[in-house]
Amino acid sequence: MPDPLRAMSDPRQTAVVTGAGRGFGRAISAALVAAGTHVIGIARTERDLLAVRDELGEGFTPLTADATDETVAEQTIRERGPRLLVLNAGAAPHMAPVHEQTWETFSRNWHTDTRHVFAWTRAALLAPLAPGSVVVSISSGAVLVGSPLSGGYASAKAAIQYLRGYAAEESRRAGLDIRFLTLLPQLTPATALGSVGVAGYAAQQGVDPDTFAAGLQPILTPEQVAKAVTDLADDPGSVPEYRIGGDGLRPLG
């Protein structure tokens, strides 16, 4: 069986998107392909990736894999040398107050969200990626306001912010010229993961999800996140961290 990584185009026009099968990752992949970038889309669920391939065509290469696997990160970067990494993969948090969590449910997002950003960030610095490359990590607006019903979700996403800063400093120190950016999207019912959060907080407040979601207006869409990723990746003058909501981008710091 042919190696899907061998089928890709010029690495100068190649991006890796983790969590590419649904939600933000799917929209980001679509925006990049539309802009002429070849996307390696990584997710654990082959069915989702094949559906994206059917939609986007040959500009999208599906790679069914665990994005937390350091070997996957190292091999993909070493063999294909992408110029853009979009680290979007994440687990749906277990929605329950802290005293109803177990350590396993509380730490779920550390083992997926944070771990995969660590693996790819490390691989990007060790390879290293080519000068001028960009790494965009998707964190969460929960970092700014907390998330009491999702266990360690907010802290796991905060660690992604720290990893960006650490990596940017190492890139500067070694003269690698790799830009590291972080986006913090607000809670949105427009993705499957966001809908889990909306349902949980709606139940806590004793309202239906639509009523709770009305308080999130304007609703952030996956297409807005995708546009932010493509715009920021092309803008060497961008600041390193942004909050993004339905009302647009706001730089942090």
Side-chain angles (χ1 to χ4, degrees):
M1 181 176 180
D3 182 349
L5 295 183
R6 299 288 182 186
M8 296 192 307
S9 58
D10 186 340
R12 289 173 295 180
Q13 298 296 325
T14 297
V16 170
V17 178
T18 65
R22 296 182 290 176
F24 293 156
R26 185 169 186 155
I28 292 165
S29 297
L32 289 169
V33 170
T37 300
H38 191 107
V39 174
I40 311 165
I42 298 177
R44 295 181 181 181
T45 305
E46 182 179 33
R47 180 181 63 254
D48 291 342
L49 289 176
L50 293 178
V52 179
R53 173 60 184 266
D54 289 343
E55 176 188 344
L56 301 184
E58 294 183 357
F60 180 87
T61 297
L63 179 59
T64 305
D66 182 350
T68 69
D69 187 331
E70 293 185 11
T71 301
V72 171
E74 292 165 2
Q75 178 182 350
T76 304
I77 289 174
R78 181 178 65 251
E79 294 187 358
R80 306 319 312 176
R83 296 299 180 93
L84 173 63
L85 304 180
V86 184
L87 306 180
N88 167 74
H94 178 70
M95 298 299 293
V98 65
H99 63 290
E100 295 178 9
Q101 299 270 356
T102 65
W103 176 246
E104 286 70 27
T105 62
F106 185 88
S107 62
R108 177 180 297 172
N109 296 98
W110 282 90
H111 294 291
T112 301
D113 306 44
T114 312
R115 182 175 178 178
H116 106 282
V117 171
F118 170 80
W120 286 87
T121 297
R122 179 175 181 270
L125 290 169
L126 287 175
L129 293 179
S133 296
V134 181
V135 179
V136 181
S137 298
I138 306 300
S139 178
S140 171
V143 171
L144 305 176
V145 297
S147 185
L149 285 187
S150 59
Y153 179 81
S155 58
K157 293 297 191 179
I160 289 173
Q161 272 190 292
Y162 283 113
L163 281 168
R164 184 216 62 79
Y166 301 159
E169 174 59 20
E170 292 307 318
S171 174
R172 184 201 65 77
R173 191 192 310 274
L176 299 179
D177 190 27
I178 303 170
R179 281 198 297 137
F180 290 87
L181 308 174
T182 304
L183 279 181
L184 286 74
Q186 75 172 33
L187 179 63
T188 175
T191 67
L193 188 150
S195 294
V196 171
V198 167
Y201 284 104
Q204 183 192 51
Q205 296 181 15
V207 300
D208 63 82
D210 288 342
T211 299
F212 181 85
L216 301 175
Q217 295 288 347
I219 298 296
L220 175 65
T221 67
E223 291 71 26
Q224 285 178 293
V225 174
K227 185 176 187 305
V229 168
T230 56
D231 287 351
L232 294 174
D234 287 338
D235 179 8
S238 63
V239 302
E241 296 185 333
Y242 291 85
R243 170 201 177 273
I244 181 168
D247 54 355
L249 283 170
R250 296 182 185 177
L252 296 180

